[in-house]
Amino acid sequence: MTAREIVPGVFSVGAIDWDRRLFDELIPLPQGTSYNAYLVKGEEKTALIDTVDPAKEYELISNLCRMGIERIDYVVINHAEQDHAGSLPMILEFFPDAVIVTNEKCKDLLIALLHVPAEKFRVIRDREKISLGKRTLQFIITPWTHWPETQLTFLEEDRILFPCDLFGSHIATSDLFMSDERTTYVAAKRYYAEIMMPFRTSIRGYVGTVRGLNPAIIAPSHGPLYKNPSFILDAYADWTSDTVKNEVVLPYVSMHGSTLKMVDYFTDALIARGIAVKPFNLSKTDTGELAMAMVDAATVVIATPTVLFGPHPLVVYATYLANLLRPKVRYASVIGSYGWGGKASETVVKMLDHVKVEVLEPVMVRGLSDETALRGLDRLADEILKKHQELNLV
Ligand code: FEO
């Protein structure tokens, strides 16, 4: 990606990764991604804010060379993860006099992950400022805007916030600024679900912190920049709130059709009661879609057949992920089938130990559902309706 000017003297110098389809060998990237890095020129000093994934380090160096940058005084590292910090060793080879500016925790991680020499750092504290000459960088330490060492950088005079992962989206686009609100909203919500949702309560506080800075531009390190910061701040305020929606997320697997019959019946039963339902066949779905659905649903019902004595491994995987992502769902249950016994529903419920949910009585059926089994699903649908009514969602 060629370097582009954001405002005079401030440039986007990172790289677009059009082809990447998996992040952390875990997160699907259907639209690719970008690793945004920024160059800020003051009257006296020049700062690079974050770097790029090592796979794209030559694009970053090439951008800086083509801009004629001969000196970088500071390399601000907002986050130690390699997609932003991984090109730091290469930057230090090209700009050996550059000083790395970051917080103590990030320094510690950069030394561990990248073997950066300790003497290269200038450690900053929360709200500390560095002058570039008529331009000032302020650092706000915000743990858990992905990792424990994360921080934000605010360019005060231009009111540009560089929040690294926070407010990002995995989209490869040639648009520097958001151009399509709907596409960006969906990508940002998916990104929030996959990366930020486990830290929802901390991030809710940071939304207020950022509003207090009154940024004119938010420039994250993935996806397009926001000229209208309230677009993404309002979205985050909604996603991180305690408000849930009248929705049931229904991840399922079926091997021979018994569980699928229950899923189909249960889906219709919920629709008939005015409850939105989102079924996900775990043998086909993209886990990012499932994560996104859990951002604001009130209830999750996991449907599983029994493999030997426990849940299907795809259900185990999805439940493990859901437990890590800690969605704000209020209620959970399990439905499914078994042949000769097992503890599939108990195993699934035990796996949800990080999610603060009320467990509604599961419906596990031997073999193919009969009328009694279907009445059990009606009972569960009625209970969900009652719970949603108590929350004034229906
Ligand atoms: Fe985009 Fe946590 O790295």
Side-chain angles (χ1 to χ4, degrees):
M1 176 174 75
T2 187
R4 287 169 292 177
E5 187 178 75
I6 300 170
V7 298
V10 181
F11 303 86
S12 175
V13 295
I16 302 174
D17 201 337
W18 300 96
D19 286 340
R20 191 163 181 180
R21 286 295 174 267
L22 200 58
F23 190 81
D24 286 349
E25 299 303 309
L26 173 67
I27 298 169
L29 303 176
Q31 299 176 89
T33 191
S34 66
Y35 319 108
N36 304 337
Y38 300 98
L39 192 83
V40 181
K41 289 181 172 177
E43 282 204 346
E44 295 154 17
K45 307 277 188 187
T46 297
L48 176 68
I49 300 179
D50 293 318
T51 72
V52 300
D53 191 280
K56 295 286 181 183
E57 61 191 3
Y58 285 101
E59 288 191 32
L60 172 61
I61 294 293
S62 161
N63 283 340
L64 296 172
C65 289
R66 280 187 288 171
M67 290 170 71
I69 303 299
E70 293 178 351
R71 179 178 173 84
I72 289 177
D73 299 282
Y74 302 120
V75 185
V76 176
I77 298 292
N78 285 323
H79 177 23
E81 192 167 10
Q82 289 86 338
D83 56 323
H84 307 294
S87 298
L88 183 56
M90 173 73 92
I91 286 290
L92 294 177
E93 277 186 36
F94 275 78
F95 302 96
D97 295 329
V99 172
I100 304 163
V101 177
T102 192
N103 62 78
E104 187 70 49
K105 266 192 189 151
C106 192
K107 172 187 172 184
D108 183 53
L109 270 171
L110 290 169
I111 291 171
L113 295 173
L114 300 173
H115 296 176
V116 179
E119 62 271 18
K120 298 296 296 180
F121 288 86
R122 171 169 171 181
V123 172
I124 50 85
R125 296 180 307 279
D126 187 37
R127 299 286 177 168
E128 192 169 333
K129 299 179 183 184
I130 284 182
S131 174
L132 305 178
K134 297 205 173 165
R135 275 195 158 122
T136 312
L137 298 177
Q138 181 186 167
F139 308 104
I140 301 126
I141 297 179
T142 51
W144 301 111
T145 50
H146 196 194
W147 284 6
E149 86 301 358
T150 42
Q151 64 177 43
L152 321 178
T153 297
F154 187 53
L155 176 54
E156 290 185 340
E157 291 76 6
D158 304 273
R159 292 172 36 230
I160 302 176
L161 181 74
F162 304 98
C164 199
D165 272 347
L166 186 62
F167 307 129
S169 55
H170 284 310
I171 312 177
T173 171
S174 57
D175 295 329
L176 179 61
F177 291 97
M178 176 180 71
S179 59
D180 179 335
E181 286 197 358
R182 185 65 201 157
T183 303
T184 307
Y185 181 90
V186 172
K189 185 173 185 180
R190 180 185 171 110
Y191 176 99
Y192 165 81
E194 294 163 333
I195 294 162
M196 298 295 161
M197 190 158 65
F199 317 111
R200 181 174 68 91
T201 51
S202 299
I203 289 169
R204 184 166 54 201
Y206 299 143
V207 171
T209 304
V210 170
R211 285 197 202 277
L213 295 170
N214 189 26
I217 292 172
I218 290 182
S221 290
H222 295 290
L225 286 63
Y226 301 96
K227 267 184 185 164
N228 171 15
S230 63
F231 172 86
I232 193 68
L233 292 172
D234 290 349
Y236 264 67
D238 178 26
W239 301 333
T240 58
S241 74
D242 289 332
T243 305
V244 289
K245 291 184 179 159
N246 179 32
E247 291 177 2
V248 172
V249 177
L250 183 52
Y252 72 92
V253 179
S254 186
M255 297 190 297
H256 300 291
S258 299
T259 301
L260 180 60
K261 181 179 175 183
M262 296 177 75
V263 167
D264 287 343
Y265 185 88
F266 190 57
T267 299
D268 286 347
L270 292 168
I271 292 170
R273 287 161 177 78
I275 300 168
V277 55
K278 295 181 176 175
F280 290 92
N281 182 344
L282 294 172
S283 66
K284 295 185 170 69
T285 197
D286 163 333
T287 49
E289 296 285 330
L290 174 61
M292 186 163 57
M294 288 194 290
V295 167
D296 30 34
T299 301
V300 59
V301 176
I302 298 166
T304 183
T306 301
V307 176
L308 296 176
F309 307 105
H312 191 284
L314 288 175
V315 166
V316 172
Y317 178 73
T319 308
Y320 178 80
L321 275 183
N323 193 49
L324 284 180
L325 295 176
R326 298 168 70 190
K328 59 184 173 184
V329 290
R330 304 288 184 87
Y331 307 103
S333 192
V334 185
I335 64 174
S337 60
Y338 60 93
W340 55 86
K343 292 183 179 293
S345 64
E346 291 93 325
T347 304
V348 170
V349 168
K350 272 188 202 155
M351 290 181 68
L352 291 171
D353 59 340
H354 285 172
V355 186
K356 289 179 189 158
V357 287
E358 178 182 340
V359 177
L360 309 178
E361 188 183 340
V363 181
M364 295 300 291
V365 174
R366 183 158 187 248
L368 194 61
S369 295
D370 57 12
E371 276 305 307
T372 307
L374 299 181
R375 293 296 75 78
L377 293 174
D378 280 325
R379 187 268 308 153
L380 180 57
D382 282 338
E383 198 178 354
I384 291 170
L385 175 62
K386 184 165 160 276
K387 296 291 186 187
H388 286 202
Q389 284 170 336
E390 286 169 4
L391 293 175
N392 295 318
L393 304 179
V394 182

mmCIF file with all atom_site columns, all heavy atoms in Angstrom, residues 23 79 81 83-84 145-147 164-165 170 191 195 221-222, ligand 1:
data_model
loop_
_atom_site.group_PDB
_atom_site.id
_atom_site.type_symbol
_atom_site.label_atom_id
_atom_site.label_alt_id
_atom_site.label_comp_id
_atom_site.label_asym_id
_atom_site.label_entity_id
_atom_site.label_seq_id
_atom_site.pdbx_PDB_ins_code
_atom_site.Cartn_x
_atom_site.Cartn_y
_atom_site.Cartn_z
_atom_site.occupancy
_atom_site.B_iso_or_equiv
_atom_site.pdbx_formal_charge
_atom_site.auth_seq_id
_atom_site.auth_comp_id
_atom_site.auth_asym_id
_atom_site.auth_atom_id
_atom_site.pdbx_PDB_model_num
ATOM   1   N  N   . PHE A 1 23  ? -6.251  -15.384 11.020 1.00 0.00 ? 23  PHE A N   1
ATOM   2   C  CA  . PHE A 1 23  ? -5.404  -14.639 11.946 1.00 0.00 ? 23  PHE A CA  1
ATOM   3   C  C   . PHE A 1 23  ? -5.214  -15.478 13.204 1.00 0.00 ? 23  PHE A C   1
ATOM   4   O  O   . PHE A 1 23  ? -6.160  -16.099 13.701 1.00 0.00 ? 23  PHE A O   1
ATOM   5   C  CB  . PHE A 1 23  ? -6.067  -13.301 12.296 1.00 0.00 ? 23  PHE A CB  1
ATOM   6   C  CG  . PHE A 1 23  ? -5.167  -12.390 13.052 1.00 0.00 ? 23  PHE A CG  1
ATOM   7   C  CD1 . PHE A 1 23  ? -4.225  -11.628 12.376 1.00 0.00 ? 23  PHE A CD1 1
ATOM   8   C  CD2 . PHE A 1 23  ? -5.232  -12.306 14.428 1.00 0.00 ? 23  PHE A CD2 1
ATOM   9   C  CE1 . PHE A 1 23  ? -3.367  -10.794 13.069 1.00 0.00 ? 23  PHE A CE1 1
ATOM   10  C  CE2 . PHE A 1 23  ? -4.385  -11.474 15.127 1.00 0.00 ? 23  PHE A CE2 1
ATOM   11  C  CZ  . PHE A 1 23  ? -3.451  -10.720 14.441 1.00 0.00 ? 23  PHE A CZ  1
ATOM   12  N  N   . HIS A 1 79  ? 1.228   -1.713  21.147 1.00 0.00 ? 79  HIS A N   1
ATOM   13  C  CA  . HIS A 1 79  ? 0.792   -3.102  21.421 1.00 0.00 ? 79  HIS A CA  1
ATOM   14  C  C   . HIS A 1 79  ? 1.906   -4.022  20.926 1.00 0.00 ? 79  HIS A C   1
ATOM   15  O  O   . HIS A 1 79  ? 2.430   -3.826  19.827 1.00 0.00 ? 79  HIS A O   1
ATOM   16  C  CB  . HIS A 1 79  ? -0.518  -3.323  20.654 1.00 0.00 ? 79  HIS A CB  1
ATOM   17  C  CG  . HIS A 1 79  ? -1.108  -4.679  20.721 1.00 0.00 ? 79  HIS A CG  1
ATOM   18  N  ND1 . HIS A 1 79  ? -0.874  -5.578  21.714 1.00 0.00 ? 79  HIS A ND1 1
ATOM   19  C  CD2 . HIS A 1 79  ? -1.997  -5.291  19.880 1.00 0.00 ? 79  HIS A CD2 1
ATOM   20  C  CE1 . HIS A 1 79  ? -1.569  -6.683  21.489 1.00 0.00 ? 79  HIS A CE1 1
ATOM   21  N  NE2 . HIS A 1 79  ? -2.249  -6.547  20.380 1.00 0.00 ? 79  HIS A NE2 1
ATOM   22  N  N   . GLU A 1 81  ? 1.826   -7.211  20.104 1.00 0.00 ? 81  GLU A N   1
ATOM   23  C  CA  . GLU A 1 81  ? 1.541   -8.356  19.237 1.00 0.00 ? 81  GLU A CA  1
ATOM   24  C  C   . GLU A 1 81  ? 2.230   -8.153  17.888 1.00 0.00 ? 81  GLU A C   1
ATOM   25  O  O   . GLU A 1 81  ? 2.342   -7.035  17.368 1.00 0.00 ? 81  GLU A O   1
ATOM   26  C  CB  . GLU A 1 81  ? 0.025   -8.559  19.055 1.00 0.00 ? 81  GLU A CB  1
ATOM   27  C  CG  . GLU A 1 81  ? -0.263  -9.906  18.407 1.00 0.00 ? 81  GLU A CG  1
ATOM   28  C  CD  . GLU A 1 81  ? -1.727  -10.339 18.476 1.00 0.00 ? 81  GLU A CD  1
ATOM   29  O  OE1 . GLU A 1 81  ? -2.600  -9.545  18.862 1.00 0.00 ? 81  GLU A OE1 1
ATOM   30  O  OE2 . GLU A 1 81  ? -1.986  -11.514 18.105 1.00 0.00 ? 81  GLU A OE2 1
ATOM   31  N  N   . ASP A 1 83  ? 1.634   -8.551  14.775 1.00 0.00 ? 83  ASP A N   1
ATOM   32  C  CA  . ASP A 1 83  ? 1.070   -7.904  13.582 1.00 0.00 ? 83  ASP A CA  1
ATOM   33  C  C   . ASP A 1 83  ? 1.253   -6.385  13.617 1.00 0.00 ? 83  ASP A C   1
ATOM   34  O  O   . ASP A 1 83  ? 1.065   -5.716  12.592 1.00 0.00 ? 83  ASP A O   1
ATOM   35  C  CB  . ASP A 1 83  ? -0.406  -8.285  13.373 1.00 0.00 ? 83  ASP A CB  1
ATOM   36  C  CG  . ASP A 1 83  ? -1.280  -7.988  14.571 1.00 0.00 ? 83  ASP A CG  1
ATOM   37  O  OD1 . ASP A 1 83  ? -0.811  -8.158  15.710 1.00 0.00 ? 83  ASP A OD1 1
ATOM   38  O  OD2 . ASP A 1 83  ? -2.447  -7.594  14.359 1.00 0.00 ? 83  ASP A OD2 1
ATOM   39  N  N   . HIS A 1 84  ? 1.638   -5.851  14.782 1.00 0.00 ? 84  HIS A N   1
ATOM   40  C  CA  . HIS A 1 84  ? 1.911   -4.405  14.885 1.00 0.00 ? 84  HIS A CA  1
ATOM   41  C  C   . HIS A 1 84  ? 3.358   -4.101  15.265 1.00 0.00 ? 84  HIS A C   1
ATOM   42  O  O   . HIS A 1 84  ? 3.883   -3.060  14.899 1.00 0.00 ? 84  HIS A O   1
ATOM   43  C  CB  . HIS A 1 84  ? 0.971   -3.753  15.896 1.00 0.00 ? 84  HIS A CB  1
ATOM   44  C  CG  . HIS A 1 84  ? -0.452  -4.054  15.615 1.00 0.00 ? 84  HIS A CG  1
ATOM   45  N  ND1 . HIS A 1 84  ? -1.088  -3.605  14.481 1.00 0.00 ? 84  HIS A ND1 1
ATOM   46  C  CD2 . HIS A 1 84  ? -1.346  -4.825  16.271 1.00 0.00 ? 84  HIS A CD2 1
ATOM   47  C  CE1 . HIS A 1 84  ? -2.327  -4.070  14.466 1.00 0.00 ? 84  HIS A CE1 1
ATOM   48  N  NE2 . HIS A 1 84  ? -2.509  -4.811  15.530 1.00 0.00 ? 84  HIS A NE2 1
ATOM   49  N  N   . THR A 1 145 ? -6.984  -3.748  25.855 1.00 0.00 ? 145 THR A N   1
ATOM   50  C  CA  . THR A 1 145 ? -7.568  -3.479  24.546 1.00 0.00 ? 145 THR A CA  1
ATOM   51  C  C   . THR A 1 145 ? -6.869  -4.447  23.584 1.00 0.00 ? 145 THR A C   1
ATOM   52  O  O   . THR A 1 145 ? -6.355  -4.074  22.568 1.00 0.00 ? 145 THR A O   1
ATOM   53  C  CB  . THR A 1 145 ? -7.421  -2.001  24.131 1.00 0.00 ? 145 THR A CB  1
ATOM   54  O  OG1 . THR A 1 145 ? -6.071  -1.587  24.302 1.00 0.00 ? 145 THR A OG1 1
ATOM   55  C  CG2 . THR A 1 145 ? -8.323  -1.124  24.954 1.00 0.00 ? 145 THR A CG2 1
ATOM   56  N  N   . HIS A 1 146 ? -6.801  -5.594  23.956 1.00 0.00 ? 146 HIS A N   1
ATOM   57  C  CA  . HIS A 1 146 ? -6.431  -6.902  23.479 1.00 0.00 ? 146 HIS A CA  1
ATOM   58  C  C   . HIS A 1 146 ? -5.502  -7.583  24.470 1.00 0.00 ? 146 HIS A C   1
ATOM   59  O  O   . HIS A 1 146 ? -5.864  -8.595  25.010 1.00 0.00 ? 146 HIS A O   1
ATOM   60  C  CB  . HIS A 1 146 ? -5.803  -6.927  22.068 1.00 0.00 ? 146 HIS A CB  1
ATOM   61  C  CG  . HIS A 1 146 ? -5.806  -8.345  21.512 1.00 0.00 ? 146 HIS A CG  1
ATOM   62  N  ND1 . HIS A 1 146 ? -5.087  -8.746  20.427 1.00 0.00 ? 146 HIS A ND1 1
ATOM   63  C  CD2 . HIS A 1 146 ? -6.465  -9.454  21.927 1.00 0.00 ? 146 HIS A CD2 1
ATOM   64  C  CE1 . HIS A 1 146 ? -5.302  -10.045 20.187 1.00 0.00 ? 146 HIS A CE1 1
ATOM   65  N  NE2 . HIS A 1 146 ? -6.139  -10.486 21.093 1.00 0.00 ? 146 HIS A NE2 1
ATOM   66  N  N   . TRP A 1 147 ? -4.340  -7.073  24.727 1.00 0.00 ? 147 TRP A N   1
ATOM   67  C  CA  . TRP A 1 147 ? -3.392  -7.698  25.654 1.00 0.00 ? 147 TRP A CA  1
ATOM   68  C  C   . TRP A 1 147 ? -3.224  -6.784  26.880 1.00 0.00 ? 147 TRP A C   1
ATOM   69  O  O   . TRP A 1 147 ? -3.696  -5.639  26.868 1.00 0.00 ? 147 TRP A O   1
ATOM   70  C  CB  . TRP A 1 147 ? -2.035  -7.904  24.947 1.00 0.00 ? 147 TRP A CB  1
ATOM   71  C  CG  . TRP A 1 147 ? -1.965  -9.044  23.974 1.00 0.00 ? 147 TRP A CG  1
ATOM   72  C  CD1 . TRP A 1 147 ? -2.983  -9.856  23.554 1.00 0.00 ? 147 TRP A CD1 1
ATOM   73  C  CD2 . TRP A 1 147 ? -0.774  -9.511  23.293 1.00 0.00 ? 147 TRP A CD2 1
ATOM   74  N  NE1 . TRP A 1 147 ? -2.505  -10.790 22.658 1.00 0.00 ? 147 TRP A NE1 1
ATOM   75  C  CE2 . TRP A 1 147 ? -1.155  -10.610 22.490 1.00 0.00 ? 147 TRP A CE2 1
ATOM   76  C  CE3 . TRP A 1 147 ? 0.560   -9.116  23.298 1.00 0.00 ? 147 TRP A CE3 1
ATOM   77  C  CZ2 . TRP A 1 147 ? -0.240  -11.303 21.689 1.00 0.00 ? 147 TRP A CZ2 1
ATOM   78  C  CZ3 . TRP A 1 147 ? 1.473   -9.803  22.506 1.00 0.00 ? 147 TRP A CZ3 1
ATOM   79  C  CH2 . TRP A 1 147 ? 1.072   -10.896 21.714 1.00 0.00 ? 147 TRP A CH2 1
ATOM   80  N  N   . CYS A 1 164 ? -4.495  1.545   18.033 1.00 0.00 ? 164 CYS A N   1
ATOM   81  C  CA  . CYS A 1 164 ? -4.014  0.218   17.636 1.00 0.00 ? 164 CYS A CA  1
ATOM   82  C  C   . CYS A 1 164 ? -5.198  -0.725  17.406 1.00 0.00 ? 164 CYS A C   1
ATOM   83  O  O   . CYS A 1 164 ? -6.083  -0.430  16.618 1.00 0.00 ? 164 CYS A O   1
ATOM   84  C  CB  . CYS A 1 164 ? -3.008  -0.328  18.626 1.00 0.00 ? 164 CYS A CB  1
ATOM   85  S  SG  . CYS A 1 164 ? -2.013  -1.652  17.878 1.00 0.00 ? 164 CYS A SG  1
ATOM   86  N  N   . ASP A 1 165 ? -5.279  -1.856  18.130 1.00 0.00 ? 165 ASP A N   1
ATOM   87  C  CA  . ASP A 1 165 ? -6.353  -2.827  17.860 1.00 0.00 ? 165 ASP A CA  1
ATOM   88  C  C   . ASP A 1 165 ? -7.754  -2.264  18.125 1.00 0.00 ? 165 ASP A C   1
ATOM   89  O  O   . ASP A 1 165 ? -8.708  -2.609  17.423 1.00 0.00 ? 165 ASP A O   1
ATOM   90  C  CB  . ASP A 1 165 ? -6.172  -4.063  18.755 1.00 0.00 ? 165 ASP A CB  1
ATOM   91  C  CG  . ASP A 1 165 ? -5.271  -5.117  18.139 1.00 0.00 ? 165 ASP A CG  1
ATOM   92  O  OD1 . ASP A 1 165 ? -4.969  -5.035  16.938 1.00 0.00 ? 165 ASP A OD1 1
ATOM   93  O  OD2 . ASP A 1 165 ? -4.869  -6.040  18.878 1.00 0.00 ? 165 ASP A OD2 1
ATOM   94  N  N   . HIS A 1 170 ? -11.239 -6.036  10.471 1.00 0.00 ? 170 HIS A N   1
ATOM   95  C  CA  . HIS A 1 170 ? -10.435 -6.786  9.521  1.00 0.00 ? 170 HIS A CA  1
ATOM   96  C  C   . HIS A 1 170 ? -11.045 -6.630  8.128  1.00 0.00 ? 170 HIS A C   1
ATOM   97  O  O   . HIS A 1 170 ? -11.876 -7.428  7.702  1.00 0.00 ? 170 HIS A O   1
ATOM   98  C  CB  . HIS A 1 170 ? -10.353 -8.257  9.931  1.00 0.00 ? 170 HIS A CB  1
ATOM   99  C  CG  . HIS A 1 170 ? -9.433  -8.516  11.077 1.00 0.00 ? 170 HIS A CG  1
ATOM   100 N  ND1 . HIS A 1 170 ? -8.136  -8.043  11.110 1.00 0.00 ? 170 HIS A ND1 1
ATOM   101 C  CD2 . HIS A 1 170 ? -9.604  -9.205  12.240 1.00 0.00 ? 170 HIS A CD2 1
ATOM   102 C  CE1 . HIS A 1 170 ? -7.547  -8.427  12.240 1.00 0.00 ? 170 HIS A CE1 1
ATOM   103 N  NE2 . HIS A 1 170 ? -8.413  -9.115  12.939 1.00 0.00 ? 170 HIS A NE2 1
ATOM   104 N  N   . TYR A 1 191 ? -15.128 -8.058  14.435 1.00 0.00 ? 191 TYR A N   1
ATOM   105 C  CA  . TYR A 1 191 ? -13.802 -7.881  15.038 1.00 0.00 ? 191 TYR A CA  1
ATOM   106 C  C   . TYR A 1 191 ? -13.930 -7.696  16.555 1.00 0.00 ? 191 TYR A C   1
ATOM   107 O  O   . TYR A 1 191 ? -13.187 -8.290  17.337 1.00 0.00 ? 191 TYR A O   1
ATOM   108 C  CB  . TYR A 1 191 ? -13.165 -6.664  14.370 1.00 0.00 ? 191 TYR A CB  1
ATOM   109 C  CG  . TYR A 1 191 ? -11.835 -6.228  14.897 1.00 0.00 ? 191 TYR A CG  1
ATOM   110 C  CD1 . TYR A 1 191 ? -10.659 -6.600  14.248 1.00 0.00 ? 191 TYR A CD1 1
ATOM   111 C  CD2 . TYR A 1 191 ? -11.732 -5.392  15.999 1.00 0.00 ? 191 TYR A CD2 1
ATOM   112 C  CE1 . TYR A 1 191 ? -9.426  -6.168  14.713 1.00 0.00 ? 191 TYR A CE1 1
ATOM   113 C  CE2 . TYR A 1 191 ? -10.519 -4.957  16.462 1.00 0.00 ? 191 TYR A CE2 1
ATOM   114 C  CZ  . TYR A 1 191 ? -9.367  -5.343  15.811 1.00 0.00 ? 191 TYR A CZ  1
ATOM   115 O  OH  . TYR A 1 191 ? -8.150  -4.911  16.275 1.00 0.00 ? 191 TYR A OH  1
ATOM   116 N  N   . ILE A 1 195 ? -12.225 -10.270 19.216 1.00 0.00 ? 195 ILE A N   1
ATOM   117 C  CA  . ILE A 1 195 ? -11.001 -9.774  19.859 1.00 0.00 ? 195 ILE A CA  1
ATOM   118 C  C   . ILE A 1 195 ? -11.273 -8.991  21.141 1.00 0.00 ? 195 ILE A C   1
ATOM   119 O  O   . ILE A 1 195 ? -10.552 -9.148  22.127 1.00 0.00 ? 195 ILE A O   1
ATOM   120 C  CB  . ILE A 1 195 ? -10.201 -8.928  18.845 1.00 0.00 ? 195 ILE A CB  1
ATOM   121 C  CG1 . ILE A 1 195 ? -9.732  -9.850  17.724 1.00 0.00 ? 195 ILE A CG1 1
ATOM   122 C  CG2 . ILE A 1 195 ? -9.003  -8.239  19.504 1.00 0.00 ? 195 ILE A CG2 1
ATOM   123 C  CD1 . ILE A 1 195 ? -9.314  -9.169  16.480 1.00 0.00 ? 195 ILE A CD1 1
ATOM   124 N  N   . SER A 1 221 ? -5.364  0.372   13.895 1.00 0.00 ? 221 SER A N   1
ATOM   125 C  CA  . SER A 1 221 ? -4.290  -0.310  13.160 1.00 0.00 ? 221 SER A CA  1
ATOM   126 C  C   . SER A 1 221 ? -4.773  -1.472  12.304 1.00 0.00 ? 221 SER A C   1
ATOM   127 O  O   . SER A 1 221 ? -3.968  -2.216  11.751 1.00 0.00 ? 221 SER A O   1
ATOM   128 C  CB  . SER A 1 221 ? -3.213  -0.785  14.140 1.00 0.00 ? 221 SER A CB  1
ATOM   129 O  OG  . SER A 1 221 ? -2.543  0.350   14.641 1.00 0.00 ? 221 SER A OG  1
ATOM   130 N  N   . HIS A 1 222 ? -6.097  -1.651  12.219 1.00 0.00 ? 222 HIS A N   1
ATOM   131 C  CA  . HIS A 1 222 ? -6.679  -2.566  11.228 1.00 0.00 ? 222 HIS A CA  1
ATOM   132 C  C   . HIS A 1 222 ? -7.891  -1.856  10.618 1.00 0.00 ? 222 HIS A C   1
ATOM   133 O  O   . HIS A 1 222 ? -8.710  -1.292  11.348 1.00 0.00 ? 222 HIS A O   1
ATOM   134 C  CB  . HIS A 1 222 ? -7.194  -3.858  11.868 1.00 0.00 ? 222 HIS A CB  1
ATOM   135 C  CG  . HIS A 1 222 ? -6.144  -4.727  12.491 1.00 0.00 ? 222 HIS A CG  1
ATOM   136 N  ND1 . HIS A 1 222 ? -5.210  -5.413  11.752 1.00 0.00 ? 222 HIS A ND1 1
ATOM   137 C  CD2 . HIS A 1 222 ? -5.911  -5.061  13.790 1.00 0.00 ? 222 HIS A CD2 1
ATOM   138 C  CE1 . HIS A 1 222 ? -4.444  -6.130  12.576 1.00 0.00 ? 222 HIS A CE1 1
ATOM   139 N  NE2 . HIS A 1 222 ? -4.833  -5.915  13.809 1.00 0.00 ? 222 HIS A NE2 1
HETATM 140 FE FE1 . FEO B 2 .   ? -3.855  -6.582  15.759 1.00 0.00 ? 1   FEO B FE1 1
HETATM 141 FE FE2 . FEO B 2 .   ? -3.627  -7.730  19.010 1.00 0.00 ? 1   FEO B FE2 1
HETATM 142 O  O1  . FEO B 2 .   ? -3.080  -7.421  17.245 1.00 0.00 ? 1   FEO B O1  1
#
